[in-house]
């Protein structure tokens, strides 16, 4: 069998080493292109030493209005059950797609170490695997929001989180007084039960809404679940004494974990964060 010359071996090896970095960069660029197509403006904000990606819609915001904040799912923490992903950024821009349907002033906030920041100082795979809902992640995103509040004099915030982003939204809601509404979509709010159900490794370094005190009754809390969702089964909502969903309005939608949320989003917005602008 013929073998490649040594020089070519070096070139091939270098190409394989560059490929993961190029993939990280191209995925972040892909989001920018998609966002531009929706009329959303990309940006960045630095908090606690981390750089977080943002996207905004074009709606003007005044202090009297509520800002709708969109938080995405966990993306791709693992490539397989035994291999950690080099780039956890979500492959499907579901929350950008939903935000594009929102006529209210809205902001998409990414997580630490996502969108090409995987190798940035302070980042490690721990922050998108076992510690994906950790104090570090939640405090960083809350600090970014507090910075936005100060700069833009925002007084009211509606948190909207999908899947694992719903977990983070819940954890942010308990610490920011500006939060008036929380909307979680297909969110695994009992983290321990979710990992045990799927046979996943315990998220030992993460916070778990099911193990914390219920949210303030002053926060209007909606939990929306797909009746065909196999990732976060709807039957988990039957026990409304769970701390994470106490005082919550429960809405069941004919959807699975990923499919068809866009079909219902305008109506969901109308029912959950309704204002005179809808």
């Amino acid at each position: 069998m013929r073998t490649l010359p040594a020089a070519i071996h070096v070139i091939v090896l270098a190409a394989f080493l560059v490929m993961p970095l190029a993939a990280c960069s191209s995925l972040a660029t892909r989001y920018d292109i998609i966002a531009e197509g929706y009329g959303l403006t990309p940006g960045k904000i630095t908090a606690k030493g981390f750089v977080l990606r943002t996207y905004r819609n074009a709606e003007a915001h005044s202090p009297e209005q509520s800002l709708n904040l969109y938080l995405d799912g966990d993306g791709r923490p693992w490539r397989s059950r035994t291999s950690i992903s080099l780039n956890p950024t979500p492959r499907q821009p579901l929350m950008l797609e939903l935000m594009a349907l929102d006529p209210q002033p809205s902001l998409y906030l990414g997580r630490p170490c996502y969108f090409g920041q995987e190798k940035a100082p302070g980042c490690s795979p721990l922050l998108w695997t076992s510690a994906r809902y950790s104090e570090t992640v939640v405090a960083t995103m809350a600090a970014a929001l507090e910075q936005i509040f100060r700069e833009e004099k925002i007084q009211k915030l509606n948190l909207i989180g999908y899947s694992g982003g719903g977990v983070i939204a819940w954890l942010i809601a308990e610490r920011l007084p500006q939060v008036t509404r929380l909307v979680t979509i297909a969110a695994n709010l009992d983290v321990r039960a979710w990992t045990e159900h799927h046979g996943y490794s315990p998220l030992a370094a993460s916070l778990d809404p099911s193990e914390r005190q219920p949210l303030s009754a002053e926060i209007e809390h909606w939990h929306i679940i797909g009746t065909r969702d196999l990732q976060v089964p709807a039957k988990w909502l039957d026990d409304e004494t769970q701390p994470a969903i106490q005082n919550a309005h429960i809405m069941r939608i004919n959807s699975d974990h990923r499919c068809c949320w866009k079909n219902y989003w305008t109506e969901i917005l109308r029912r959950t964060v309704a204002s005179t602008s809808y």
Side-chain angles (χ1 to χ4, degrees):
M1 182 175 65
R2 294 180 61 187
T3 59
L4 294 173
I8 296 180
H9 272 296
V10 172
I11 293 173
V12 171
L13 177 59
F16 275 105
L17 292 174
V18 169
M19 281 174 63
L21 298 178
C24 295
S25 175
S26 63
L27 188 54
T29 301
R30 176 173 173 266
Y31 261 75
D32 286 349
I33 294 171
I34 292 171
E36 182 179 1
Y38 287 134
L40 307 176
T41 303
K44 295 179 181 179
I45 186 168
T46 301
K48 293 186 175 292
F50 294 98
V51 178
L52 311 184
R53 181 64 63 95
T54 64
Y55 296 97
R56 288 179 178 269
N57 66 7
E59 298 301 317
H61 180 269
S62 66
E64 294 76 24
Q65 289 179 292
S66 294
L67 177 69
N68 291 345
L69 181 79
Y70 284 74
L71 302 179
D72 225 324
D74 297 340
R76 193 187 188 194
W78 295 82
R79 290 188 294 181
S80 68
R81 284 187 174 266
T82 59
S83 178
I84 294 174
S85 175
L86 297 176
N87 179 7
T89 304
R91 269 48 181 174
Q92 299 300 320
L94 173 62
M95 293 306 271
L96 286 186
E97 295 172 346
L98 298 186
M99 194 170 85
L101 298 173
D102 193 341
Q104 291 290 93
S106 303
L107 170 71
Y108 176 109
L109 180 65
R111 301 192 200 184
C113 308
Y114 282 52
F115 292 98
Q117 295 292 318
E118 298 81 12
K119 300 294 185 181
C123 287
S124 76
L126 184 67
L127 290 182
W128 61 82
T129 53
S130 178
R132 69 185 73 172
Y133 315 133
S134 64
E135 177 64 24
T136 296
V137 171
V138 177
T140 297
M141 298 178 77
L145 290 171
E146 288 174 333
Q147 181 178 329
I148 293 170
F149 296 159
R150 289 193 301 270
E151 294 174 353
E152 303 181 22
K153 297 181 173 56
I154 292 170
Q155 299 173 8
K156 294 182 290 186
L157 182 71
N158 297 324
L159 284 167
I160 303 170
Y162 165 69
S163 193
V167 178
I168 293 177
W170 195 101
L171 294 166
I172 289 175
E174 68 177 357
R175 63 184 71 196
L176 293 183
Q178 293 86 353
V179 176
T180 57
R181 289 185 181 92
L182 169 66
V183 180
T184 67
I185 310 160
N188 44 312
L189 295 176
D190 188 332
V191 175
R192 181 182 58 80
W194 176 70
T195 56
E196 290 178 354
H197 174 77
H198 291 288
Y200 297 154
S201 300
L203 305 188
S206 288
L207 304 174
D208 188 342
S210 72
E211 298 175 358
R212 304 178 76 79
Q213 294 297 314
L215 293 174
S216 167
E218 296 180 359
I219 298 175
E220 186 175 325
H221 178 189
W222 290 81
H223 187 72
I224 306 167
I225 198 75
T227 56
R228 297 181 286 110
D229 193 340
L230 300 181
Q231 276 292 318
V232 184
K235 66 180 181 181
W236 288 359
L237 296 180
D238 294 339
D239 181 9
E240 296 186 9
T241 64
Q242 294 181 61
I245 60 172
Q246 281 189 25
N247 304 317
H249 302 283
I250 306 299
M251 186 187 304
R252 291 174 168 83
I253 297 293
N254 183 26
S255 176
D256 62 26
H257 195 67
R258 291 187 176 87
C259 175
C260 310
W261 291 105
K262 287 192 296 183
N263 296 347
Y264 303 103
W265 192 238
T266 298
E267 176 62 16
I268 290 172
L269 284 175
R270 188 190 67 79
R271 293 180 61 182
T272 60
V273 292
S275 75
T276 55
S277 297
Y278 283 97

